[in-house]
Amino acid sequence: MKMLPPASSAMPCGWDSWFAAEPDPLPPATVTKIAPGPEAEKKLVEAVGKLTRGSVIEFETGRFPLTAPVVIAASNFTLRGAGQDKSVLECGGFASPATGVTIQGSAVLVEGLGIENARGSALRIEGVGNVTVRGVRAEWGGEPRPANGPYGICASASKNILIEDCLAMGASGAGICVSQCENCIVRHNHAERCVGGIESENSSVIDIAGNTCSGNTAGILVLCLPGLALAKQLYEAVRAQGYGRKGTQALLLALEAISNIRRG
């Protein structure tokens, strides 16, 4: 697999030509096709459990109501649909707030899917490397609400991430976020009706280019602050208690709770 130059190297023009965050070339892959219907979620769970190097899970055109989050720890596979408006994972039926789809393996391609109304984030990439997210739509319908998931597409503590041609709408936090990541490209995406459109948080060697943002509280945010990870933990804690829309005051409330301070 081709790799990016070291993070300490100067980044030449066209640096993404080194980027290869997709599964390695392999012999013809095992493709599991999932059609809409009452057995779709069961078949998805079975396919995830049987993933091997180079496997493909392919959603056909239609809507796929899910009752539980999808967590995939395998590496070197593809998860794809027929298009972000054609193959739609409906995540509003979860019993409790949870991320719709979580990727915990490396060398993964996710493309051509819609993920709607997740009770947590729509798509999350956690602690891995070489992942491409292309042509994915993460959306919460209607007017923005605090109950919407915090992130549309989020990569956390990961390396060599490419997010392109994606759409995020209605997130109660950031539409697209790379947090504590290294060597990432975020390009040609659109974020709308989110608190933050596109966010880079305590990350390094990040290329954010050719994106559009509209109707968000803030468009593109680049944050690199000491102690930001702690502040985020505090914020998420008070957000779970319904204080997420209080902004900086939410952090003060968290500190008060930790210190057992009660206002008179």
Side-chain angles (χ1 to χ4, degrees), residues 136-233:
V136 170
R137 175 175 58 87
E139 182 174 359
W140 289 264
E143 293 298 317
R145 299 178 301 145
N148 291 355
Y151 300 107
I153 299 167
C154 179
S156 175
S158 298
K159 295 182 178 181
N160 301 352
I161 304 298
L162 172 61
I163 302 172
E164 66 177 357
D165 301 323
C166 294
L167 173 64
M169 302 178 68
S172 64
I176 297 172
C177 177
V178 289
S179 175
Q180 302 177 62
C181 291
E182 181 181 347
N183 294 353
C184 299
I185 301 173
V186 181
R187 65 185 179 193
H188 308 154
N189 304 289
H190 180 72
E192 184 176 320
R193 295 187 290 106
C194 304
V195 173
I198 296 172
E199 178 179 319
S200 171
E201 174 188 294
N202 275 19
S203 297
S204 61
V205 196
I206 308 298
D207 184 3
I208 300 175
N211 303 283
T212 57
C213 299
S214 63
N216 307 287
T217 304
I220 296 177
L221 302 172
V222 179
L223 307 174
C224 189
L225 301 171
L228 186 61
L230 174 59
K232 181 179 179 181
Q233 290 176 3

